[in-house]
Amino acid sequence: MIQDVFIIGATGGVGKTLVKQIFEKGDTDPNLHKNPTRVIGLASSSSFAHDPYGLSERKRDEFYSRSCGSNYSLNDLLKAVSKEGRDSNLSFVDVTSVGQEMVDFHRSVINETPYGIVTANKNPLTMVNYDDFVELARHHKRYGFRCSVMAGANAIDEIKDLVDLGDPVRSIRGCFSGTLGYICSQLQTQMPFSEIVREARELGYTEPHPAEDLSGRDVAKKLLILARTAGVQVDMDQIPLIPLIPQEFLEEEDVDVFMDGLKPLDREFLSRKEELEANGKVIRYPAELSLCGATPYMRVGPTIESKDSPLGMLAGRANKIVIQTDTHDSDTPCIIEAPGAGLEVTAQNVRRDLMRQIRERTVSYRNGNGSA
Amino acid sequence: MIQDVFIIGATGGVGKTLVKQIFEKGDTDPNLHKNPTRVIGLASSSSFAHDPYGLSERKRDEFYSRSCGSNYSLNDLLKAVSKEGRDSNLSFVDVTSVGQEMVDFHRSVINETPYGIVTANKNPLTMVNYDDFVELARHHKRYGFRCSVMAGANAIDEIKDLVDLGDPVRSIRGCFSGTLGYICSQLQTQMPFSEIVREARELGYTEPHPAEDLSGRDVAKKLLILARTAGVQVDMDQIPLIPLIPQEFLEEEDVDVFMDGLKPLDREFLSRKEELEANGKVIRYPAELSLCGATPYMRVGPTIESKDSPLGMLAGRANKIVIQTDTHDSDTPCIIEAPGAGLEVTAQNVRRDLMRQIRERTVSYRNGNGSA
């Protein structure tokens, strides 16, 4: 059976990389996959192209070359697809950062249709309350959200499995932000803080406005998703959040003014670094959830770590997560270290979630020498 | 739909723990799981009990209390189940260490029936040739073998997914033996080698004959499974294998004589340890596969590692695997650290593979406070 895919956010960085990977990595090849992929729709913020028999190359190119299009709502899109009366072999992909409209869309798809969703967008998982989160996340095969937290690791599925196995999570600790990981690593060099942030932004590591990263909001959203996946009934406002830099710097909305405004912090970070270095310490920006006490303990904010500790040794954009349960206790926790997101890694893991939604998946061994 | 399970090896350590977990962790509870588990069969090496409607508590107890039973062949068992004309909602579990007879059984089930298998037994994956391995392993949902290597980690599924994503594995390196990990860790203390092995055996960490661990054969089997899972066409005799102790010690078949015979090695290991310690080094027993050259490079044997290197820092029975691919390159490899096997961890991950075989799985969120 063919696996149909409708990609929303197809003109963004992850969306374009995803389309490229689907066509170049063999996903559409019926000789490689028992359930080959067929792209039936592409949508940007302003328009969408859709063909139930698969978008022709011409239609794809047309969509990508169109500079602007007619406006549409996600509801129009769902109606267009629904009236084909198709079965459940369709999955939507959300690689946007759309808020409320997308929240409603995810809920409509899961509750009112037989289709699946794969999302890298954190909003539909964090803007809703716990019960609505569970309504989405409990559908193991239909709702894939591994790319919302540490796309390169298997943290979400690992936690879902532990819940189902009756081995409840006792604590989660880790560095979930490739951006803040990169900044903290660079703080160990002589480079001034404002230059580090500028470079991270130029390399495309930060959100469009770096305040979203430096405030810790992005990390807090990820911790909320992990906590809820572990079955902990919490909301965003229950997460104590300490930004990497003082609050007054974060309130500047104009990005250029914001970037220039970081210079006064250079001297402070540099003298801090020298003091820490002398003691074998480094700055990291971890998030933590502990369920050992009577109420869930959560914290997102900078910490001082030994240079040779698990988090202190993290380099560059690598992410790390340490999960403890009854079976995986403090002596032998489950630890996953993986590349922090990036276009290629995120797109690859969107495809991994799509594979999860395939019925009767077989592994496509190709020629037996390991190079596919 | 009910998920029926037939456990072969039910009177062994993992088998007993598995049955206990299935009944105590809620797997059979239709209020928790859309597809609750039902145990329809239990088999030991000498007899089996089977009821298509689920074994009653009385029949289970009877089976466990029976000191011996009538002999049977795995083929009898398959015939007994097959004549019920049931659908594909049955999974066999193989937690034995049976050789050729089990090889044939696995192949019969996968090739001639619609049922699934979950195995912790390495023989059906290592005693066959590459093509027969692929015939089993390509059935992602029907053939679960995560527990054959690093049961507590997600290494097998991770590699299967990478194959399917067209992101071929370039290298795998790691410590896959909890037993040898424990022994190498203890070698950093003042304890004599022969005492360490004796303790490991008494704690139930070693195979019945510790030569199976100390020879590296067990690790080589695991490397073979990982290599083949990555699509590399290799056989057991292509893996260079350097035992932890000289070959002549390993040839003693009587376990008690073997254990006493280890004493002459105590002095050598102790002086080795002092020399290494002075240089900040430790002994580890990793396995390695590299596909960077023209032909696959493989090696299983002891190495000297820096105390603060990723493998040098491994403590106790923890396992670690480092996987590199095109996307996960040497700067940002995928690293998983997890408890080396043990009855509870292995049984838990057999259940995880069983969950994978469920149709329409939903995650069983229970009460929203994280404690299931």
Side-chain angles (χ1 to χ4, degrees):
Chain A
M1 182 186 268
I2 287 167
Q3 183 186 39
D4 285 327
V5 172
F6 199 124
I7 300 163
I8 308 173
T11 53
V14 174
K16 276 185 174 162
T17 311
L18 176 63
V19 172
K20 191 164 172 286
Q21 283 188 5
I22 286 174
F23 287 96
E24 289 180 2
K25 297 281 187 179
D27 298 12
T28 62
D29 185 347
N31 295 315
L32 284 177
H33 294 277
K34 191 170 172 184
N35 310 73
T37 298
R38 179 169 67 181
V39 177
I40 63 151
L42 297 169
S44 68
S45 57
S46 58
S47 69
F48 71 89
H50 167 224
D51 186 323
Y53 300 104
L55 286 174
S56 66
E57 218 167 307
R58 190 177 56 78
K59 276 196 179 167
R60 253 189 294 145
D61 294 344
E62 247 178 49
F63 173 79
Y64 273 118
S65 62
R66 221 167 358 188
S67 58
C68 66
S70 56
N71 274 315
Y72 76 99
S73 77
L74 288 169
N75 215 20
D76 299 338
L77 187 155
L78 195 53
K79 267 189 209 147
V81 170
S82 295
K83 74 177 176 207
E84 290 156 23
R86 55 172 64 240
D87 194 3
S88 58
N89 61 327
L90 167 67
S91 299
F92 289 99
V93 173
D94 172 8
V95 281
T96 72
S97 54
V98 174
Q100 193 55 50
E101 197 195 357
M102 201 53 94
V103 173
D104 299 336
F105 180 75
H106 283 220
R107 295 180 60 189
S108 296
V109 171
I110 292 298
N111 294 326
E112 293 157 29
T113 83
Y115 314 142
I117 297 190
V118 167
T119 184
N121 180 358
K122 289 181 275 290
N123 291 322
L125 297 154
T126 53
M127 290 173 67
V128 298
N129 65 28
Y130 176 77
D131 288 340
D132 289 339
F133 170 92
V134 165
E135 184 54 39
L136 296 171
R138 65 191 291 272
H139 297 278
H140 189 77
K141 288 204 71 169
R142 287 176 59 210
Y143 197 74
F145 57 104
R146 63 179 300 139
C147 290
S148 63
V149 186
M150 296 181 74
N154 201 43
I156 295 288
D157 278 351
E158 188 75 27
I159 294 171
K160 275 188 176 184
D161 283 356
L162 291 168
V163 169
D164 265 356
L165 291 165
D167 186 23
V169 170
R170 295 302 177 203
S171 76
I172 293 172
R173 186 161 191 255
C175 287
F176 310 138
S177 163
T179 316
L180 288 169
Y182 179 79
I183 290 172
C184 289
S185 282
Q186 292 298 87
L187 281 175
Q188 293 171 238
T189 70
Q190 290 295 331
M191 204 167 165
F193 176 74
S194 61
E195 284 304 306
I196 296 171
V197 178
R198 187 175 303 280
E199 189 189 62
R201 183 162 175 250
E202 280 166 13
L203 289 168
Y205 295 171
T206 65
E207 298 288 317
H209 194 313
E212 179 73 11
D213 300 296
L214 296 169
S215 67
R217 272 195 299 270
D218 182 64
V219 175
K221 282 183 188 172
K222 290 173 181 168
L223 184 66
L224 181 66
I225 293 172
L226 291 174
R228 287 176 162 184
T229 304
V232 185
Q233 190 165 352
V234 279
D235 280 308
M236 195 68 180
D237 56 18
Q238 288 169 264
I239 302 181
L241 196 162
I242 307 155
L244 185 65
I245 58 176
Q247 188 62 39
E248 59 263 32
F249 288 87
L250 295 166
E251 276 152 23
E252 175 54 56
E253 284 179 21
D254 183 284
V255 178
D256 290 325
V257 179
F258 170 81
M259 294 298 289
D260 287 335
L262 296 177
K263 286 207 177 75
L265 293 167
D266 291 351
R267 187 202 296 261
E268 194 184 314
F269 271 108
L270 206 62
S271 73
R272 189 90 180 281
K273 174 230 161 189
E274 275 156 19
E275 188 191 317
L276 291 171
E277 200 172 49
N279 295 302
K281 306 281 187 187
V282 293
I283 298 178
R284 289 293 178 265
Y285 197 92
E288 188 176 353
L289 162 72
S290 169
L291 299 166
C292 302
T295 54
Y297 168 83
M298 290 187 289
R299 182 190 186 276
V300 168
T303 58
I304 307 300
E305 308 276 338
S306 284
K307 217 171 173 172
D308 57 0
S309 68
L311 295 186
M313 284 191 305
L314 264 185
R317 286 184 297 152
N319 283 188
K320 189 172 219 162
I321 184 167
V322 181
I323 302 170
Q324 288 185 26
T325 68
D326 285 348
T327 306
H328 300 264
D329 60 11
S330 60
D331 283 341
T332 48
C334 176
I335 305 176
I336 312 174
E337 190 175 330
L343 300 185
E344 292 292 341
V345 170
T346 305
Q348 180 164 314
N349 282 285
V350 165
R351 290 166 55 230
R352 196 189 293 208
D353 258 355
L354 284 169
M355 286 193 326
R356 200 50 64 77
Q357 303 195 350
I358 288 174
R359 298 186 208 169
E360 293 177 65
R361 179 184 158 205
T362 55
V363 180
S364 57
Y365 287 103
R366 299 175 191 200
N367 55 21
N369 66 5
S371 52
Chain B
M1 183 187 271
I2 287 167
Q3 184 187 40
D4 285 327
V5 172
F6 200 124
I7 300 163
I8 308 173
T11 52
V14 174
K16 276 185 176 161
T17 311
L18 175 63
V19 172
K20 191 165 174 284
Q21 284 187 5
I22 286 174
F23 287 97
E24 288 180 2
K25 297 282 187 178
D27 298 12
T28 60
D29 185 347
N31 295 317
L32 284 177
H33 294 278
K34 190 171 173 185
N35 309 74
T37 298
R38 179 170 65 181
V39 177
I40 63 151
L42 297 170
S44 68
S45 57
S46 58
S47 68
F48 70 89
H50 167 225
D51 187 323
Y53 301 104
L55 287 174
S56 66
E57 217 166 309
R58 191 177 57 80
K59 277 195 179 171
R60 253 189 295 146
D61 294 345
E62 247 177 49
F63 173 78
Y64 274 119
S65 62
R66 221 168 357 190
S67 56
C68 66
S70 55
N71 273 315
Y72 75 100
S73 77
L74 288 168
N75 214 21
D76 298 339
L77 186 156
L78 195 53
K79 267 189 210 150
V81 170
S82 295
K83 74 178 178 207
E84 291 157 23
R86 55 173 64 236
D87 195 3
S88 60
N89 61 330
L90 167 66
S91 299
F92 289 98
V93 172
D94 172 7
V95 282
T96 73
S97 55
V98 174
Q100 192 56 52
E101 198 196 356
M102 199 55 95
V103 173
D104 299 335
F105 179 75
H106 282 219
R107 295 180 61 192
S108 296
V109 171
I110 292 299
N111 293 325
E112 294 156 28
T113 82
Y115 314 141
I117 297 189
V118 167
T119 184
N121 180 0
K122 289 181 275 291
N123 290 319
L125 296 154
T126 53
M127 290 174 67
V128 299
N129 65 28
Y130 176 77
D131 288 339
D132 289 339
F133 171 92
V134 166
E135 183 55 37
L136 296 171
R138 66 191 291 273
H139 297 279
H140 189 80
K141 287 203 70 169
R142 286 177 59 210
Y143 196 75
F145 57 104
R146 64 179 300 139
C147 290
S148 64
V149 186
M150 294 181 74
N154 202 44
I156 296 287
D157 279 350
E158 188 75 28
I159 294 172
K160 275 187 177 184
D161 282 356
L162 291 167
V163 168
D164 265 356
L165 291 164
D167 186 23
V169 169
R170 296 303 177 204
S171 76
I172 293 172
R173 188 161 188 256
C175 287
F176 310 139
S177 163
T179 315
L180 287 169
Y182 178 79
I183 290 172
C184 290
S185 281
Q186 292 297 86
L187 281 175
Q188 293 171 237
T189 70
Q190 290 295 331
M191 205 171 166
F193 176 73
S194 61
E195 283 305 305
I196 296 172
V197 177
R198 188 176 303 278
E199 188 188 63
R201 186 165 172 247
E202 281 166 11
L203 289 168
Y205 295 173
T206 66
E207 297 288 317
H209 193 313
E212 179 73 13
D213 300 295
L214 295 169
S215 68
R217 275 194 299 268
D218 182 65
V219 175
K221 283 183 188 173
K222 290 174 180 167
L223 184 65
L224 181 68
I225 294 172
L226 292 174
R228 288 176 163 184
T229 305
V232 185
Q233 191 166 351
V234 280
D235 281 308
M236 196 66 181
D237 56 16
Q238 288 168 267
I239 303 181
L241 195 163
I242 307 155
L244 184 66
I245 59 175
Q247 187 63 39
E248 60 263 32
F249 288 87
L250 295 166
E251 277 151 23
E252 175 55 55
E253 285 179 20
D254 183 283
V255 179
D256 290 325
V257 180
F258 170 83
M259 294 297 290
D260 287 334
L262 295 176
K263 286 208 175 77
L265 293 166
D266 290 351
R267 188 201 296 261
E268 195 184 312
F269 271 109
L270 204 65
S271 73
R272 189 93 179 278
K273 175 233 161 186
E274 275 157 18
E275 190 192 316
L276 292 171
E277 199 173 51
N279 295 300
K281 307 281 188 187
V282 292
I283 298 178
R284 288 294 178 264
Y285 198 93
E288 188 176 355
L289 161 72
S290 168
L291 299 166
C292 301
T295 54
Y297 168 83
M298 289 186 289
R299 183 191 185 277
V300 169
T303 57
I304 307 300
E305 309 275 339
S306 284
K307 216 170 170 170
D308 57 359
S309 67
L311 295 187
M313 282 190 306
L314 265 185
R317 285 183 298 151
N319 283 187
K320 188 172 223 165
I321 184 168
V322 181
I323 303 170
Q324 289 185 25
T325 68
D326 286 350
T327 306
H328 300 264
D329 61 11
S330 59
D331 284 343
T332 48
C334 176
I335 305 175
I336 311 173
E337 191 176 329
L343 300 185
E344 291 292 340
V345 170
T346 305
Q348 180 164 313
N349 281 284
V350 165
R351 289 164 57 227
R352 196 190 294 208
D353 259 354
L354 284 169
M355 285 192 328
R356 199 52 63 76
Q357 303 195 351
I358 288 174
R359 300 186 208 164
E360 296 176 64
R361 178 184 159 206
T362 55
V363 180
S364 57
Y365 287 104
R366 299 174 192 200
N367 56 19
N369 67 6
S371 53

